Short mmCIF file of all heavy atoms in Angstrom, two decimals:
data_model
loop_
_atom_site.label_atom_id
_atom_site.label_comp_id
_atom_site.label_asym_id
_atom_site.label_seq_id
_atom_site.Cartn_x
_atom_site.Cartn_y
_atom_site.Cartn_z
N LEU A 12 -11.56 -10.21 -44.07
CA LEU A 12 -11.77 -11.22 -45.10
C LEU A 12 -10.43 -11.65 -45.68
O LEU A 12 -9.49 -10.84 -45.78
CB LEU A 12 -12.66 -10.67 -46.22
CG LEU A 12 -14.05 -10.19 -45.81
CD1 LEU A 12 -14.72 -9.45 -46.95
CD2 LEU A 12 -14.91 -11.38 -45.37
N MET A 13 -10.36 -12.90 -46.12
CA MET A 13 -9.13 -13.41 -46.73
C MET A 13 -9.47 -14.44 -47.79
O MET A 13 -10.39 -15.25 -47.61
CB MET A 13 -8.22 -14.04 -45.68
CG MET A 13 -6.98 -14.74 -46.27
SD MET A 13 -6.09 -15.78 -45.10
CE MET A 13 -5.34 -14.52 -44.07
N LYS A 14 -8.73 -14.43 -48.89
CA LYS A 14 -8.69 -15.57 -49.79
C LYS A 14 -7.23 -15.82 -50.15
O LYS A 14 -6.44 -14.89 -50.32
CB LYS A 14 -9.56 -15.36 -51.03
CG LYS A 14 -9.26 -14.19 -51.93
CD LYS A 14 -10.29 -14.19 -53.05
CE LYS A 14 -10.06 -13.08 -54.06
NZ LYS A 14 -11.06 -13.11 -55.13
N THR A 15 -6.86 -17.10 -50.24
CA THR A 15 -5.45 -17.47 -50.31
C THR A 15 -4.93 -17.61 -51.74
O THR A 15 -3.73 -17.86 -51.93
CB THR A 15 -5.22 -18.79 -49.56
OG1 THR A 15 -6.11 -19.79 -50.08
CG2 THR A 15 -5.49 -18.61 -48.07
N THR A 16 -5.79 -17.42 -52.72
CA THR A 16 -5.37 -17.42 -54.12
C THR A 16 -6.40 -16.65 -54.92
O THR A 16 -7.26 -15.98 -54.35
CB THR A 16 -5.21 -18.86 -54.65
OG1 THR A 16 -4.63 -18.82 -55.97
CG2 THR A 16 -6.54 -19.59 -54.69
N GLN A 17 -6.31 -16.71 -56.24
CA GLN A 17 -7.21 -15.98 -57.12
C GLN A 17 -7.12 -14.48 -56.89
O GLN A 17 -8.13 -13.76 -56.91
CB GLN A 17 -8.66 -16.46 -56.95
CG GLN A 17 -8.95 -17.83 -57.53
CD GLN A 17 -9.02 -17.83 -59.05
OE1 GLN A 17 -8.09 -17.41 -59.75
NE2 GLN A 17 -10.14 -18.25 -59.58
N SER A 18 -5.91 -14.00 -56.64
CA SER A 18 -5.67 -12.57 -56.49
C SER A 18 -4.28 -12.26 -57.01
O SER A 18 -3.34 -13.06 -56.84
CB SER A 18 -5.79 -12.15 -55.03
OG SER A 18 -5.37 -10.80 -54.86
N GLY A 19 -4.13 -11.11 -57.62
CA GLY A 19 -2.83 -10.69 -58.11
C GLY A 19 -2.76 -9.18 -58.24
O GLY A 19 -3.74 -8.47 -57.98
N PHE A 20 -1.59 -8.69 -58.64
CA PHE A 20 -1.41 -7.25 -58.87
C PHE A 20 -0.28 -7.09 -59.88
O PHE A 20 0.89 -7.28 -59.55
CB PHE A 20 -1.09 -6.53 -57.56
CG PHE A 20 -1.08 -5.03 -57.68
CD1 PHE A 20 -2.13 -4.35 -58.29
CD2 PHE A 20 -0.02 -4.28 -57.19
CE1 PHE A 20 -2.12 -2.96 -58.40
CE2 PHE A 20 0.00 -2.90 -57.29
CZ PHE A 20 -1.06 -2.24 -57.90
N GLU A 21 -0.66 -6.78 -61.12
CA GLU A 21 0.30 -6.72 -62.22
C GLU A 21 0.03 -5.50 -63.09
O GLU A 21 -1.06 -4.92 -63.06
CB GLU A 21 0.20 -7.99 -63.09
CG GLU A 21 0.42 -9.29 -62.34
CD GLU A 21 0.17 -10.51 -63.21
OE1 GLU A 21 -1.01 -10.92 -63.33
OE2 GLU A 21 1.14 -11.02 -63.78
N GLY A 22 1.02 -5.12 -63.87
CA GLY A 22 0.85 -4.05 -64.85
C GLY A 22 0.74 -2.67 -64.26
O GLY A 22 0.25 -1.76 -64.92
N PHE A 23 1.20 -2.48 -63.03
CA PHE A 23 1.08 -1.17 -62.39
C PHE A 23 2.22 -0.25 -62.83
O PHE A 23 3.24 -0.67 -63.37
CB PHE A 23 1.05 -1.31 -60.87
CG PHE A 23 2.13 -2.21 -60.30
CD1 PHE A 23 3.40 -1.72 -60.05
CD2 PHE A 23 1.85 -3.54 -60.03
CE1 PHE A 23 4.39 -2.53 -59.52
CE2 PHE A 23 2.84 -4.37 -59.50
CZ PHE A 23 4.11 -3.87 -59.25
N TYR A 24 2.04 1.05 -62.59
CA TYR A 24 3.03 2.07 -62.97
C TYR A 24 4.32 1.85 -62.18
O TYR A 24 4.30 1.61 -60.98
CB TYR A 24 2.46 3.45 -62.68
CG TYR A 24 3.41 4.58 -63.00
CD1 TYR A 24 3.51 5.09 -64.29
CD2 TYR A 24 4.22 5.12 -62.01
CE1 TYR A 24 4.39 6.13 -64.59
CE2 TYR A 24 5.10 6.15 -62.29
CZ TYR A 24 5.18 6.65 -63.59
OH TYR A 24 6.06 7.67 -63.88
N LYS A 25 5.44 2.00 -62.88
CA LYS A 25 6.74 1.79 -62.24
C LYS A 25 7.67 2.95 -62.55
O LYS A 25 7.61 3.53 -63.65
CB LYS A 25 7.37 0.49 -62.73
CG LYS A 25 6.52 -0.76 -62.54
CD LYS A 25 7.21 -1.98 -63.10
CE LYS A 25 6.32 -3.22 -63.01
NZ LYS A 25 5.15 -3.15 -63.90
N ASN A 26 8.50 3.31 -61.58
CA ASN A 26 9.58 4.27 -61.80
C ASN A 26 10.77 3.86 -60.94
O ASN A 26 10.83 2.73 -60.43
CB ASN A 26 9.13 5.71 -61.51
CG ASN A 26 8.73 5.92 -60.06
OD1 ASN A 26 8.98 5.07 -59.20
ND2 ASN A 26 8.12 7.06 -59.78
N GLU A 27 11.72 4.77 -60.75
CA GLU A 27 12.95 4.41 -60.04
C GLU A 27 12.72 4.08 -58.56
O GLU A 27 13.61 3.53 -57.89
CB GLU A 27 13.98 5.55 -60.15
CG GLU A 27 13.60 6.85 -59.43
CD GLU A 27 12.76 7.80 -60.28
OE1 GLU A 27 12.17 7.31 -61.28
OE2 GLU A 27 12.69 8.99 -59.95
N HIS A 28 11.54 4.41 -58.02
CA HIS A 28 11.24 4.13 -56.62
C HIS A 28 10.45 2.84 -56.43
O HIS A 28 10.10 2.49 -55.30
CB HIS A 28 10.47 5.29 -56.00
CG HIS A 28 11.18 6.61 -56.08
ND1 HIS A 28 12.37 6.84 -55.45
CD2 HIS A 28 10.88 7.76 -56.73
CE1 HIS A 28 12.79 8.08 -55.69
NE2 HIS A 28 11.89 8.65 -56.48
N THR A 29 10.14 2.17 -57.51
CA THR A 29 9.31 0.96 -57.43
C THR A 29 10.17 -0.25 -57.08
O THR A 29 11.14 -0.55 -57.79
CB THR A 29 8.59 0.71 -58.76
OG1 THR A 29 7.79 1.85 -59.10
CG2 THR A 29 7.67 -0.50 -58.65
N THR A 30 9.82 -0.91 -55.99
CA THR A 30 10.50 -2.15 -55.60
C THR A 30 9.53 -3.33 -55.53
O THR A 30 9.96 -4.48 -55.40
CB THR A 30 11.17 -1.99 -54.22
OG1 THR A 30 10.18 -1.63 -53.25
CG2 THR A 30 12.24 -0.90 -54.27
N LEU A 31 8.24 -3.04 -55.59
CA LEU A 31 7.23 -4.10 -55.46
C LEU A 31 7.23 -4.99 -56.70
O LEU A 31 7.07 -4.49 -57.83
CB LEU A 31 5.84 -3.47 -55.27
CG LEU A 31 4.68 -4.45 -55.02
CD1 LEU A 31 4.79 -5.05 -53.62
CD2 LEU A 31 3.34 -3.75 -55.20
N PRO A 32 7.37 -6.30 -56.54
CA PRO A 32 7.31 -7.19 -57.70
C PRO A 32 5.87 -7.44 -58.13
O PRO A 32 4.94 -7.34 -57.33
CB PRO A 32 7.94 -8.48 -57.17
CG PRO A 32 7.63 -8.48 -55.70
CD PRO A 32 7.67 -7.03 -55.28
N GLU A 33 5.71 -7.74 -59.41
CA GLU A 33 4.39 -8.12 -59.89
C GLU A 33 4.04 -9.52 -59.37
O GLU A 33 4.90 -10.39 -59.27
CB GLU A 33 4.34 -8.09 -61.42
CG GLU A 33 4.48 -6.70 -61.99
CD GLU A 33 4.08 -6.63 -63.46
OE1 GLU A 33 3.76 -7.69 -64.04
OE2 GLU A 33 4.05 -5.51 -64.01
N ARG A 34 2.76 -9.69 -59.06
CA ARG A 34 2.31 -10.99 -58.55
C ARG A 34 1.01 -11.38 -59.24
O ARG A 34 0.11 -10.57 -59.36
CB ARG A 34 2.10 -10.93 -57.04
CG ARG A 34 3.39 -10.68 -56.24
CD ARG A 34 3.10 -10.47 -54.77
NE ARG A 34 4.32 -10.25 -54.01
CZ ARG A 34 4.37 -9.87 -52.74
NH1 ARG A 34 3.23 -9.67 -52.10
NH2 ARG A 34 5.51 -9.69 -52.13
N HIS A 35 0.94 -12.62 -59.65
CA HIS A 35 -0.29 -13.12 -60.26
C HIS A 35 -1.01 -14.11 -59.35
O HIS A 35 -2.11 -14.56 -59.66
CB HIS A 35 -0.01 -13.79 -61.61
CG HIS A 35 0.83 -15.04 -61.51
ND1 HIS A 35 2.20 -15.02 -61.44
CD2 HIS A 35 0.46 -16.35 -61.42
CE1 HIS A 35 2.66 -16.25 -61.34
NE2 HIS A 35 1.63 -17.08 -61.32
N ASP A 36 -0.36 -14.45 -58.23
CA ASP A 36 -1.00 -15.36 -57.27
C ASP A 36 -0.54 -14.94 -55.87
O ASP A 36 0.61 -15.15 -55.48
CB ASP A 36 -0.60 -16.81 -57.54
CG ASP A 36 -1.35 -17.79 -56.65
OD1 ASP A 36 -2.32 -17.37 -55.97
OD2 ASP A 36 -0.96 -18.96 -56.60
N ARG A 37 -1.43 -14.32 -55.13
CA ARG A 37 -1.09 -13.83 -53.81
C ARG A 37 -2.28 -14.00 -52.87
O ARG A 37 -3.42 -14.27 -53.31
CB ARG A 37 -0.72 -12.34 -53.87
CG ARG A 37 -1.89 -11.46 -54.28
CD ARG A 37 -1.58 -9.98 -54.20
NE ARG A 37 -2.75 -9.18 -54.58
CZ ARG A 37 -2.81 -7.85 -54.50
NH1 ARG A 37 -1.77 -7.17 -54.06
NH2 ARG A 37 -3.91 -7.20 -54.86
N ILE A 38 -2.03 -13.83 -51.60
CA ILE A 38 -3.12 -13.77 -50.62
C ILE A 38 -3.76 -12.39 -50.67
O ILE A 38 -3.06 -11.37 -50.70
CB ILE A 38 -2.59 -14.07 -49.20
CG1 ILE A 38 -2.22 -15.55 -49.07
CG2 ILE A 38 -3.62 -13.68 -48.14
CD1 ILE A 38 -1.63 -15.91 -47.72
N LEU A 39 -5.08 -12.35 -50.71
CA LEU A 39 -5.80 -11.09 -50.60
C LEU A 39 -6.49 -11.07 -49.25
O LEU A 39 -7.36 -11.90 -48.98
CB LEU A 39 -6.80 -10.92 -51.74
CG LEU A 39 -7.42 -9.53 -51.92
CD1 LEU A 39 -7.92 -9.35 -53.36
CD2 LEU A 39 -8.58 -9.28 -50.97
N CYS A 40 -6.06 -10.17 -48.40
CA CYS A 40 -6.63 -10.07 -47.05
C CYS A 40 -6.89 -8.61 -46.75
O CYS A 40 -6.05 -7.75 -47.04
CB CYS A 40 -5.68 -10.67 -46.03
SG CYS A 40 -6.27 -10.58 -44.32
N GLY A 41 -8.03 -8.32 -46.19
CA GLY A 41 -8.34 -6.93 -45.89
C GLY A 41 -9.41 -6.79 -44.83
O GLY A 41 -10.19 -7.71 -44.57
N GLU A 42 -9.40 -5.63 -44.19
CA GLU A 42 -10.44 -5.28 -43.22
C GLU A 42 -11.38 -4.29 -43.89
O GLU A 42 -10.95 -3.24 -44.36
CB GLU A 42 -9.81 -4.68 -41.97
CG GLU A 42 -10.78 -4.51 -40.83
CD GLU A 42 -10.08 -4.14 -39.53
OE1 GLU A 42 -9.45 -5.01 -38.92
OE2 GLU A 42 -10.18 -2.95 -39.16
N LEU A 43 -12.65 -4.63 -43.93
CA LEU A 43 -13.61 -3.90 -44.74
C LEU A 43 -14.52 -3.03 -43.90
O LEU A 43 -14.99 -3.43 -42.83
CB LEU A 43 -14.44 -4.88 -45.57
CG LEU A 43 -15.46 -4.27 -46.53
CD1 LEU A 43 -15.41 -4.97 -47.89
CD2 LEU A 43 -16.88 -4.37 -45.96
N PHE A 44 -14.76 -1.82 -44.41
CA PHE A 44 -15.76 -0.89 -43.89
C PHE A 44 -16.73 -0.60 -45.03
O PHE A 44 -16.31 -0.26 -46.14
CB PHE A 44 -15.10 0.40 -43.42
CG PHE A 44 -16.08 1.51 -43.08
CD1 PHE A 44 -16.56 1.67 -41.80
CD2 PHE A 44 -16.51 2.40 -44.07
CE1 PHE A 44 -17.46 2.69 -41.49
CE2 PHE A 44 -17.40 3.42 -43.77
CZ PHE A 44 -17.87 3.56 -42.48
N CYS A 45 -18.01 -0.74 -44.76
CA CYS A 45 -19.02 -0.50 -45.80
C CYS A 45 -20.19 0.27 -45.20
O CYS A 45 -20.70 -0.10 -44.13
CB CYS A 45 -19.50 -1.84 -46.37
SG CYS A 45 -20.70 -1.67 -47.71
N LYS A 46 -20.58 1.34 -45.87
CA LYS A 46 -21.67 2.18 -45.39
C LYS A 46 -22.55 2.55 -46.58
O LYS A 46 -22.04 2.90 -47.64
CB LYS A 46 -21.11 3.44 -44.73
CG LYS A 46 -22.15 4.43 -44.23
CD LYS A 46 -21.46 5.64 -43.60
CE LYS A 46 -22.44 6.71 -43.19
NZ LYS A 46 -21.77 7.89 -42.60
N TRP A 47 -23.86 2.46 -46.40
CA TRP A 47 -24.76 2.77 -47.51
C TRP A 47 -25.91 3.66 -47.04
O TRP A 47 -26.24 3.72 -45.86
CB TRP A 47 -25.31 1.49 -48.14
CG TRP A 47 -26.01 0.56 -47.20
CD1 TRP A 47 -27.33 0.56 -46.86
CD2 TRP A 47 -25.41 -0.53 -46.46
NE1 TRP A 47 -27.60 -0.45 -45.97
CE2 TRP A 47 -26.44 -1.13 -45.71
CE3 TRP A 47 -24.12 -1.05 -46.37
CZ2 TRP A 47 -26.22 -2.23 -44.89
CZ3 TRP A 47 -23.90 -2.14 -45.54
CH2 TRP A 47 -24.93 -2.71 -44.82
N SER A 48 -26.51 4.34 -48.02
CA SER A 48 -27.62 5.24 -47.76
C SER A 48 -28.88 4.69 -48.39
O SER A 48 -28.86 4.17 -49.51
CB SER A 48 -27.31 6.63 -48.34
OG SER A 48 -28.48 7.43 -48.36
N TYR A 49 -29.99 4.83 -47.66
CA TYR A 49 -31.29 4.39 -48.17
C TYR A 49 -32.02 5.49 -48.93
O TYR A 49 -33.08 5.25 -49.50
CB TYR A 49 -32.17 3.90 -47.02
CG TYR A 49 -31.71 2.60 -46.42
CD1 TYR A 49 -31.12 2.57 -45.17
CD2 TYR A 49 -31.87 1.40 -47.10
CE1 TYR A 49 -30.70 1.38 -44.60
CE2 TYR A 49 -31.45 0.21 -46.54
CZ TYR A 49 -30.87 0.20 -45.30
OH TYR A 49 -30.45 -0.98 -44.75
N GLY A 50 -31.48 6.72 -48.94
CA GLY A 50 -32.23 7.80 -49.55
C GLY A 50 -33.45 8.11 -48.70
O GLY A 50 -33.38 8.19 -47.47
N GLU A 51 -34.59 8.26 -49.34
CA GLU A 51 -35.82 8.53 -48.59
C GLU A 51 -36.18 7.33 -47.73
O GLU A 51 -36.25 6.20 -48.22
CB GLU A 51 -36.98 8.83 -49.55
CG GLU A 51 -38.28 9.20 -48.85
CD GLU A 51 -39.41 9.47 -49.83
OE1 GLU A 51 -39.14 9.50 -51.05
OE2 GLU A 51 -40.55 9.65 -49.38
N CYS A 52 -36.37 7.56 -46.45
CA CYS A 52 -36.62 6.47 -45.51
C CYS A 52 -38.07 6.00 -45.62
O CYS A 52 -39.01 6.79 -45.52
CB CYS A 52 -36.32 6.93 -44.09
SG CYS A 52 -36.50 5.62 -42.88
N LYS A 53 -38.23 4.70 -45.86
CA LYS A 53 -39.56 4.11 -45.95
C LYS A 53 -39.66 2.95 -44.96
O LYS A 53 -38.76 2.72 -44.17
CB LYS A 53 -39.83 3.64 -47.38
CG LYS A 53 -39.81 4.77 -48.41
CD LYS A 53 -40.08 4.25 -49.81
CE LYS A 53 -40.05 5.36 -50.83
NZ LYS A 53 -40.27 4.89 -52.21
N ASP A 54 -40.74 2.22 -45.03
CA ASP A 54 -40.97 1.12 -44.11
C ASP A 54 -40.21 -0.11 -44.63
O ASP A 54 -40.80 -1.04 -45.18
CB ASP A 54 -42.47 0.83 -43.99
CG ASP A 54 -42.76 -0.20 -42.91
OD1 ASP A 54 -41.88 -0.41 -42.06
OD2 ASP A 54 -43.84 -0.80 -42.94
N PHE A 55 -38.89 -0.11 -44.43
CA PHE A 55 -38.05 -1.18 -44.92
C PHE A 55 -37.89 -2.26 -43.85
O PHE A 55 -37.98 -1.99 -42.65
CB PHE A 55 -36.65 -0.66 -45.29
CG PHE A 55 -36.63 0.31 -46.44
CD1 PHE A 55 -35.75 1.37 -46.45
CD2 PHE A 55 -37.47 0.15 -47.52
CE1 PHE A 55 -35.70 2.26 -47.49
CE2 PHE A 55 -37.45 1.04 -48.58
CZ PHE A 55 -36.56 2.10 -48.57
N ASP A 56 -37.61 -3.48 -44.31
CA ASP A 56 -37.19 -4.55 -43.41
C ASP A 56 -35.67 -4.42 -43.29
O ASP A 56 -34.92 -5.04 -44.04
CB ASP A 56 -37.60 -5.91 -43.97
CG ASP A 56 -37.30 -7.06 -42.99
OD1 ASP A 56 -36.43 -6.87 -42.11
OD2 ASP A 56 -37.92 -8.12 -43.12
N PHE A 57 -35.22 -3.60 -42.35
CA PHE A 57 -33.80 -3.27 -42.26
C PHE A 57 -32.94 -4.50 -41.97
O PHE A 57 -31.84 -4.62 -42.50
CB PHE A 57 -33.57 -2.20 -41.20
CG PHE A 57 -34.13 -0.85 -41.55
CD1 PHE A 57 -35.24 -0.35 -40.88
CD2 PHE A 57 -33.56 -0.09 -42.56
CE1 PHE A 57 -35.75 0.90 -41.20
CE2 PHE A 57 -34.06 1.15 -42.88
CZ PHE A 57 -35.17 1.65 -42.21
#
């Protein structure tokens, strides 16, 4: 999935090893894995 705006990363913890700049407008792109449990199995329309 990707969106080319409406994403940022600001206000994060910083120390002497931090080089990442804060961003309020960036591309958000990621590969997603999603797994869910139904609990007790019934006659669902899976």
Side-chain angles (χ1 to χ4, degrees):
L12 301 170
M13 173 192 288
K14 60 182 182 180
T15 55
T16 188
Q17 288 286 56
S18 172
F20 188 49
E21 303 174 276
F23 48 84
Y24 179 84
K25 304 178 185 68
N26 64 11
E27 67 273 20
H28 302 297
T29 302
T30 58
L31 184 72
E33 293 195 356
R34 295 173 179 171
H35 65 276
D36 186 12
R37 65 174 181 174
I38 289 178
L39 192 157
C40 179
E42 190 170 285
L43 182 136
F44 170 92
C45 182
K46 178 181 175 181
W47 56 88
S48 167
Y49 290 107
E51 183 181 353
C52 184
K53 298 180 181 179
D54 187 19
F55 295 144
D56 186 338
F57 292 110

